[in-house]
Amino acid sequence: MKKSSLKQKSPRLSAIEKIEKSLSKESIDRAKSKSKEILFQINLSELRKSIGMKQEEITSFSQSSLSKLETRKDMKISTLKDYLNSLDMDLEIKAKVRNPQKNRNIKKEYVLLRSI
Protein backbone atom coordinates (compact mmCIF):
# COMPACT_ATOMS: atom_id res chain seq x y z
CA MET A 1 0.00 0.00 0.00
CA LYS A 2 1.37 3.39 -1.00
CA LYS A 3 1.48 6.18 1.60
CA SER A 4 -0.11 9.44 0.56
CA SER A 5 2.32 12.36 0.51
CA LEU A 6 -0.45 14.77 1.44
CA LYS A 7 -0.94 15.43 5.12
CA GLN A 8 -4.48 15.06 6.32
CA LYS A 9 -5.86 17.80 8.55
CA SER A 10 -6.03 16.77 12.15
CA PRO A 11 -9.59 16.44 13.48
CA ARG A 12 -8.53 18.52 16.47
CA LEU A 13 -8.79 22.28 16.18
CA SER A 14 -5.58 24.26 15.96
CA ALA A 15 -4.91 26.88 18.63
CA ILE A 16 -5.78 29.66 16.17
CA GLU A 17 -9.06 28.01 15.20
CA LYS A 18 -9.99 27.66 18.89
CA ILE A 19 -9.29 31.34 19.50
CA GLU A 20 -11.26 32.37 16.40
CA LYS A 21 -14.26 30.38 17.58
CA SER A 22 -14.27 32.31 20.83
CA LEU A 23 -14.15 35.75 19.14
CA SER A 24 -16.79 37.77 17.35
CA LYS A 25 -16.51 38.35 13.61
CA GLU A 26 -15.82 42.04 14.30
CA SER A 27 -12.90 41.15 16.59
CA ILE A 28 -11.44 38.82 13.97
CA ASP A 29 -11.81 41.50 11.26
CA ARG A 30 -10.09 44.09 13.48
CA ALA A 31 -7.22 41.69 14.17
CA LYS A 32 -6.78 40.93 10.47
CA SER A 33 -6.80 44.65 9.67
CA LYS A 34 -4.20 45.34 12.36
CA SER A 35 -1.98 42.53 11.07
CA LYS A 36 -2.08 44.04 7.57
CA GLU A 37 -1.02 47.42 9.01
CA ILE A 38 1.88 45.77 10.82
CA LEU A 39 2.97 43.95 7.68
CA PHE A 40 2.86 47.25 5.77
CA GLN A 41 5.06 48.89 8.40
CA ILE A 42 7.50 46.00 8.33
CA ASN A 43 7.63 46.05 4.55
CA LEU A 44 8.72 49.70 4.38
CA SER A 45 11.72 49.22 6.63
CA GLU A 46 12.49 45.83 5.09
CA LEU A 47 12.30 47.37 1.62
CA ARG A 48 14.87 49.99 2.59
CA LYS A 49 17.10 47.37 4.23
CA SER A 50 16.81 45.02 1.24
CA ILE A 51 18.50 47.59 -0.99
CA GLY A 52 21.22 48.10 1.60
CA MET A 53 20.27 51.60 2.77
CA LYS A 54 20.39 52.84 6.31
CA GLN A 55 18.05 55.54 7.57
CA GLU A 56 21.02 57.88 7.99
CA GLU A 57 21.88 57.56 4.28
CA ILE A 58 18.58 59.02 3.11
CA THR A 59 19.09 62.76 2.90
CA SER A 60 15.56 63.81 1.93
CA PHE A 61 14.25 62.84 5.40
CA SER A 62 15.74 63.17 8.85
CA GLN A 63 16.47 59.90 10.66
CA SER A 64 13.73 60.59 13.19
CA SER A 65 11.23 61.38 10.40
CA LEU A 66 12.09 58.13 8.65
CA SER A 67 11.66 56.18 11.85
CA LYS A 68 8.19 57.70 12.32
CA LEU A 69 7.33 57.22 8.66
CA GLU A 70 8.27 53.54 8.70
CA THR A 71 6.04 52.90 11.72
CA ARG A 72 2.98 54.90 10.66
CA LYS A 73 -0.35 53.17 10.45
CA ASP A 74 -1.41 55.35 7.55
CA MET A 75 0.19 57.88 5.23
CA LYS A 76 -0.52 60.07 2.26
CA ILE A 77 0.31 58.69 -1.16
CA SER A 78 2.51 61.75 -1.77
CA THR A 79 4.56 60.88 1.34
CA LEU A 80 4.95 57.28 0.21
CA LYS A 81 5.97 58.56 -3.24
CA ASP A 82 8.63 60.82 -1.66
CA TYR A 83 9.87 57.96 0.53
CA LEU A 84 10.21 55.61 -2.45
CA ASN A 85 11.81 58.35 -4.52
CA SER A 86 14.47 58.69 -1.80
CA LEU A 87 15.14 54.95 -2.28
CA ASP A 88 15.39 55.54 -6.05
CA MET A 89 12.15 53.62 -6.61
CA ASP A 90 8.89 54.35 -8.39
CA LEU A 91 5.35 53.84 -7.12
CA GLU A 92 2.57 52.01 -8.91
CA ILE A 93 -0.88 51.49 -7.40
CA LYS A 94 -3.16 48.86 -8.92
CA ALA A 95 -6.73 47.81 -8.32
CA LYS A 96 -7.19 44.06 -8.71
CA VAL A 97 -10.43 42.20 -9.29
CA ARG A 98 -11.01 39.87 -6.34
CA ASN A 99 -12.87 37.18 -8.24
CA PRO A 100 -11.76 37.12 -11.89
CA GLN A 101 -13.85 34.00 -12.64
CA LYS A 102 -17.02 35.85 -11.63
CA ASN A 103 -16.10 38.96 -13.62
CA ARG A 104 -14.71 37.41 -16.80
CA ASN A 105 -15.53 40.31 -19.09
CA ILE A 106 -13.36 42.86 -17.32
CA LYS A 107 -9.62 43.26 -16.94
CA LYS A 108 -8.05 41.58 -13.91
CA GLU A 109 -6.24 44.70 -12.79
CA TYR A 110 -6.19 48.42 -13.41
CA VAL A 111 -3.28 50.79 -12.89
CA LEU A 112 -4.60 53.71 -10.83
CA LEU A 113 -1.33 55.59 -10.34
CA ARG A 114 2.10 55.29 -11.88
CA SER A 115 4.77 57.57 -10.52
CA ILE A 116 7.97 57.57 -12.52
Side-chain angles (χ1 to χ4, degrees):
M1 186 186 285
K2 209 176 194 182
K3 268 189 165 180
S4 174
S5 61
L6 296 174
K7 290 184 180 180
Q8 291 184 355
K9 189 174 180 180
S10 170
R12 291 185 285 151
L13 293 176
S14 72
I16 293 174
E17 289 171 326
K18 287 179 184 177
I19 293 169
E20 282 184 347
K21 285 191 174 281
S22 70
L23 299 172
S24 69
K25 181 175 176 1
E26 292 80 19
S27 294
I28 293 169
D29 291 343
R30 277 194 308 273
K32 287 180 181 179
S33 177
K34 182 67 176 170
S35 70
K36 287 179 184 178
E37 289 175 13
I38 292 169
L39 288 174
F40 176 73
Q41 293 166 8
I42 292 169
N43 287 337
L44 283 180
S45 63
E46 290 300 316
L47 177 65
R48 176 183 45 75
K49 291 173 188 174
S50 74
I51 61 170
M53 288 190 82
K54 295 179 181 178
Q55 288 180 335
E56 300 82 20
E57 296 174 296
I58 300 173
T59 57
S60 54
F61 294 91
S62 68
Q63 190 276 328
S64 63
S65 295
L66 276 172
S67 182
K68 290 176 186 173
L69 177 81
E70 291 179 343
T71 57
R72 277 189 189 163
K73 293 180 183 177
D74 196 9
M75 74 175 67
K76 293 180 180 179
I77 292 172
S78 60
T79 305
L80 180 58
K81 180 183 167 194
D82 291 343
Y83 174 80
L84 293 173
N85 188 50
S86 69
L87 300 179
D88 199 28
M89 295 184 165
D90 297 321
L91 174 65
E92 183 174 278
I93 298 177
K94 294 181 180 181
K96 293 186 176 187
V97 176
R98 288 187 187 141
N99 189 351
Q101 284 73 30
K102 182 180 174 185
N103 302 301
R104 292 181 186 188
N105 296 330
I106 62 173
K107 294 187 333 185
K108 292 182 178 158
E109 65 182 34
Y110 297 85
V111 175
L112 301 177
L113 173 80
R114 185 174 286 139
S115 167
I116 299 175

